[in-house]
Amino acid sequence: MITVENLKKEYKLVKRDPGLKGAIKSLFNRKYETKHAVKGIDFSIEQGETVGYIGANGAGKSTTIKMLTGILTPTSGKVTVNGLVPYENRQKNAVNIGVVFGQRTQLFWDIPVRESYNLLKHIYEIPEHEYEETIGMFTEVLNLEPLLGIPVRQLSLGQKMRCELAAAFLHRPSVVYLDEPTIGLDIAVKVKIRKFIKEMNQRWGTTVLLTTHDMQDIEEICDRIIIIDGGTILYDGGLDEIKKQFGQKRVIHFELADKEKFVLPASLDGQVELLPNEEETKVSLSFDHETVKSSFVISEMMSMYEIGDLNIADPKIETIVEELYNKQEQGGKHEEILANS
Amino acid sequence: MRRYTRLYWEFAKSHMKVMMEYRIDFLIGVFSVMLEQFASIFFVKVVFDHIEQINGWSFYEILFIYGIAATGRSIHQIFFDNLWTLGWQYIRPGKLDRLLIRPVNPLFHVVADRLHQDGFGQLIIGLIILGTAIPQLDLVWGAAEIGMLVIMIISSGLIFVAINLFFATFSFWMIDSLPIVWAVFNMSDFARYPLTIYHKGIRMFLTWVVPYGFTAFYPAAYFIDKSGYKEFALWTPVAAIVCCVIAYAFWNRGLKAFASTGS
Ligand SMILES: Nc1ncnc2c1ncn2[C@@H]1O[C@H](COP(=O)(O)OP(=O)(O)OP(=O)(O)O)[C@@H](O)[C@H]1O
Ligand SMILES: [Mg+2]
């Protein structure tokens, strides 16, 4: 239902020297710098899929989503969503999509949430009975009842985001784009939101494309992930596969009484890597979860040093992305990764 | 069209509910505008206490021109006031994105996002002025005249809207075109007096370049025989339509530029 072919976006930036002199000079002699935000990506997504679209800051995620929603016109390449080209048929495409930008609100600022929904009902021409049914269900799942009478500007971030999500799904769109829907939220709200997205996907078969920096979002919502870095796709495939392939790195942070004296135990040599850690009392060890057991690393460390505390870090998506990126730079692997997927 | 009318009504209902919740703000807004307008009329009145006529125009004739300008401007102020905020409220903070993902015309959405209370003060003042001036003009008022007056006032309002939209659209290319919009808007004050009192250059400018002349003087001239512009005044509705078409086309170009730069 979504197909993307060789999609590119270049931003033109006016380059200017610092200071007033530079500003004046740029008035007469404009120099442009081209920023290649998205460098020719391809993918296609079927109806009902839940796809996590991840990558580091500035990787080009939001830019891609803006092109998919029709807000931005690509520099070249092609996008179709439900057979429509979004940036050519923006308004027609808008009927079938829902969007959440975590950084800013889609709702009407000054008027109570209920009124906002009522306006959306008219904008999307939702039939009354369908609207009532949807609102009833959302109110229950997202616990909106106490919020409906309050103007959006008076809501907390978490309250606002719950209302936002409901707004994005209100007209039962066939595809929903969520750009960092859980940014800045506490665990309880995140859990609620994930559950909601999942439920909508199951109930209505809504296609979900989600960007986030929280690996837990991906784990709980998505079946598939697409990793983008520096404007190119590094990986496109199932979530389980990538974890098997790249997510086996574990990191354990140890708190030592005396870090000065620390040297890596001989038994761990060659299997465990010492990561730089700024903190005065802490040492971080990284290792391959498949070949070295966490318990082994911990017991070896305990036998040699006085450990105050320890903490096993989850495999972070950033680490996986970084890993993938490094592999690509080392040459050749990139093609292999894509071929595997 | 029917859909948009209904949609506008829904938006307006929401705004009115909010306004009624803040009744005090509403009243203060209305009154402060009325006060401001009374002050400038009072100034004209003082001038006329000393001289009978300015360039052949009597006090009530000038009041009539003033009344058309005030009423026309109120249309702009009540319904289209949000155009002022295009740069700093929509384009800069990225709020325009929100409108682009909805199945409605984005300009409609910007406009419908606000209903401005101060405009009601302007409207009341405009109607009071017209009601005071009209009986003093030697003119027989029939249905045709009243119909014509309504058309003229709507045209005047549309020209205010078109000029603001045109200059607000520059915000797509610069940080915020508000200072330009503001500077241009201030020129409309000139058009509240008979254009014949000005130098020819200014007259031409206010007719052909920034056509504020059509917001007050020309439409009023239709009802004042000695003005010498009775026929020319008939172009007012045409001027309004042309201005709107040009401004809307320019807005669409701005939108297109936005879609390719993303800011
Ligand atoms: N309107 C714009 N004009 C110029 N450059 C832009 C614009 N928007 C984004 N960029 C640049 O394009 C690149 C990709 O940005 P994008 O917002 O798509 O990243 P992202 O993956 O969403 O990052 P994040 O995780 O921080 O949200 C960045 O280098 C950014 O600086
Ligand atoms: Mg982003």
Side-chain angles (χ1 to χ4, degrees):
Chain A
M1 70 160 303
I2 301 176
T3 56
V4 171
E5 282 165 43
N6 198 15
L7 186 66
K8 287 184 189 161
K9 182 71 204 175
E10 291 163 11
Y11 292 111
K12 256 191 183 162
L13 303 164
V14 181
K15 200 176 154 188
R16 64 158 77 128
D17 303 330
L20 184 62
K21 215 173 123 191
I24 292 170
K25 225 167 85 187
S26 80
L27 269 182
F28 299 102
N29 180 16
R30 288 206 161 195
K31 275 197 219 119
Y32 289 101
E33 199 175 0
T34 315
K35 167 89 209 167
H36 301 266
V38 173
K39 299 177 186 163
I41 57 173
D42 300 85
F43 58 79
S44 72
I45 296 173
E46 298 303 319
Q47 180 70 48
E49 276 195 274
T50 44
V51 181
Y53 193 50
I54 54 183
N57 291 129
K61 303 181 296 294
S62 299
T63 304
T64 311
I65 288 194
K66 282 185 182 174
M67 290 191 280
L68 294 179
T69 52
I71 295 170
L72 269 183
T73 310
T75 309
S76 69
K78 200 172 167 207
V79 179
T80 56
V81 178
N82 285 320
L84 291 172
V85 178
Y87 40 90
E88 284 168 7
N89 295 292
R90 195 166 30 74
Q91 284 183 44
K92 221 166 153 194
N93 178 56
V95 179
N96 295 315
I97 68 169
V99 185
V100 170
F101 289 114
Q103 320 266 19
R104 51 179 89 120
T105 180
Q106 318 290 313
L107 294 166
F108 298 80
W109 197 241
D110 283 321
I111 61 181
V113 177
R114 187 184 283 112
E115 289 283 320
S116 257
Y117 290 158
N118 182 53
L119 283 181
L120 289 175
K121 174 182 88 182
H122 287 99
I123 287 175
Y124 290 100
E125 300 177 309
I126 307 169
E128 189 64 40
H129 64 276
E130 185 185 312
Y131 173 77
E132 293 296 338
E133 188 193 317
T134 314
I135 280 284
M137 178 173 68
F138 288 3
T139 307
E140 204 179 304
V141 180
L142 289 168
N143 198 5
L144 299 180
E145 191 58 45
L147 310 177
L148 290 175
I150 305 173
V152 174
R153 69 185 143 79
Q154 290 172 7
L155 297 176
S156 79
L157 185 63
Q159 295 170 334
K160 206 180 322 183
M161 195 45 72
R162 274 147 60 201
C163 296
E164 268 323 294
L165 251 108
F169 282 91
L170 195 64
H171 52 292
R172 304 189 185 176
S174 66
V175 49
V176 168
Y177 305 98
L178 307 166
D179 194 354
E180 307 196 35
T182 54
I183 191 168
L185 304 181
D186 71 36
I187 288 292
V189 178
K190 278 186 181 179
V191 167
K192 214 172 253 162
I193 282 182
R194 288 171 192 149
K195 200 178 131 219
F196 176 74
I197 297 171
K198 198 99 209 115
E199 195 173 326
M200 290 306 112
N201 167 258
Q202 276 158 9
R203 191 184 284 242
W204 291 330
T206 314
T207 309
V208 175
L209 184 70
L210 164 88
T211 84
T212 180
H213 292 289
D214 184 337
M215 191 51 184
Q216 205 60 36
D217 289 346
I218 302 283
E219 301 245 9
E220 284 179 31
I221 300 169
C222 303
D223 307 324
R224 170 180 164 195
I225 62 171
I226 298 176
I227 301 181
I228 181 173
D229 194 281
T232 47
I233 289 180
L234 289 190
Y235 177 87
D236 180 352
L239 185 62
D240 298 336
E241 284 94 83
I242 193 163
K243 276 208 276 183
K244 261 191 221 121
Q245 266 182 287
F246 308 100
Q248 66 278 70
K249 283 266 165 174
R250 277 278 187 294
V251 175
I252 305 182
H253 306 285
F254 293 95
E255 197 175 309
L256 300 184
D258 196 356
K259 187 178 168 178
E260 299 281 286
K261 288 207 197 104
F262 179 79
V263 280
L264 199 63
S267 56
L268 297 178
D269 209 23
Q271 302 185 308
V272 170
E273 195 187 339
L274 183 62
L275 297 180
N277 192 327
E278 312 257 291
E279 282 178 71
E280 262 172 46
T281 56
K282 283 193 179 162
V283 164
S284 304
L285 301 182
S286 146
F287 53 93
D288 193 326
H289 174 62
E290 298 268 279
T291 55
V292 185
K293 289 276 161 282
S294 304
S295 53
F296 176 66
V297 177
I298 295 170
S299 70
E300 286 304 300
M301 284 290 285
M302 303 245 294
S303 68
M304 298 207 41
Y305 298 99
E306 196 184 319
I307 308 291
D309 195 3
L310 65 83
N311 150 305
I312 306 177
D314 274 340
K316 281 241 168 59
I317 200 65
E318 273 83 358
T319 342
I320 296 180
V321 173
E322 208 180 308
E323 193 105 320
L324 268 166
Y325 194 53
N326 287 341
K327 281 198 176 146
Q328 185 204 18
E329 288 207 326
Q330 283 156 17
K333 277 271 181 166
H334 185 195
E335 270 64 26
E336 193 184 311
I337 294 162
L338 287 177
N340 280 344
S341 64
Chain B
M1 193 64 203
R2 266 221 8 241
R3 173 176 173 232
Y4 278 110
T5 315
R6 235 192 13 242
L7 208 49
Y8 191 88
W9 174 236
E10 292 297 332
F11 273 76
K13 270 201 303 206
S14 293
H15 297 315
M16 283 189 284
K17 277 185 208 160
V18 175
M19 269 184 212
M20 288 307 113
E21 247 170 71
Y22 298 92
R23 254 165 261 149
I24 302 293
D25 298 61
F26 178 77
L27 292 178
I28 290 176
V30 170
F31 273 111
S32 59
V33 170
M34 288 174 70
L35 216 62
E36 196 186 308
Q37 292 299 318
F38 268 125
S40 40
I41 293 164
F42 185 71
F43 171 74
V44 179
K45 177 75 182 138
V46 169
V47 171
F48 273 92
D49 281 344
H50 296 277
I51 41 173
E52 198 119 300
Q53 290 194 326
I54 293 179
N55 222 338
W57 297 83
S58 74
F59 174 63
Y60 286 106
E61 285 162 352
I62 288 189
L63 207 57
F64 180 60
I65 301 177
Y66 212 97
I68 289 189
T71 322
R73 193 189 282 197
S74 77
I75 295 178
H76 170 239
Q77 206 176 4
I78 295 173
F79 301 108
F80 297 88
D81 198 70
N82 223 11
L83 292 176
W84 287 105
T85 69
L86 194 63
W88 55 277
Q89 283 224 319
Y90 286 86
I91 300 175
R92 266 338 108 200
K95 217 168 114 186
L96 196 68
D97 292 358
R98 179 193 100 175
L99 311 191
L100 294 177
I101 52 160
R102 296 210 173 127
V104 283
N105 182 311
L107 181 58
F108 167 83
H109 205 306
V110 170
V111 168
D113 264 351
R114 183 170 161 96
L115 195 64
H116 194 29
Q117 53 204 31
D118 295 7
F120 292 106
Q122 185 88 19
L123 178 66
I124 295 169
I125 278 289
L127 293 177
I128 292 176
I129 297 174
L130 286 177
T132 316
I134 285 172
Q136 309 291 330
L137 305 176
D138 43 351
L139 193 75
V140 191
W141 284 84
E145 279 77 15
I146 291 176
M148 199 60 185
L149 183 65
V150 171
I151 291 175
M152 289 300 191
I153 287 172
I154 291 173
S155 304
S156 160
L158 288 179
I159 288 171
F160 275 115
V161 173
I163 293 174
N164 252 35
L165 173 61
F166 185 88
F167 289 98
T169 298
F170 279 102
S171 290
F172 281 114
W173 292 277
M174 47 197 294
I175 305 285
D176 187 359
S177 68
L178 189 63
I180 303 180
V181 184
W182 190 242
V184 172
F185 184 73
N186 278 334
M187 283 190 241
S188 70
D189 285 351
F190 288 106
R192 295 196 295 198
Y193 302 96
L195 289 190
T196 52
I197 66 174
Y198 298 119
H199 183 270
K200 191 157 178 260
I202 297 179
R203 215 159 63 213
M204 289 292 135
F205 185 81
L206 288 176
T207 307
W208 302 110
V209 184
V210 181
Y212 277 127
F214 289 101
T215 60
F217 174 66
Y218 292 127
Y222 176 79
F223 302 94
I224 300 169
D225 282 329
K226 66 165 185 232
S227 69
Y229 285 100
K230 202 171 163 65
E231 255 100 78
F232 189 69
L234 286 169
W235 288 100
T236 304
V238 179
I241 292 167
V242 170
C243 287
C244 287
V245 169
I246 292 175
Y248 187 63
F250 189 50
W251 155 267
N252 275 333
R253 275 200 62 166
L255 261 190
K256 216 163 180 185
F258 180 82
S260 74
T261 60
S263 53

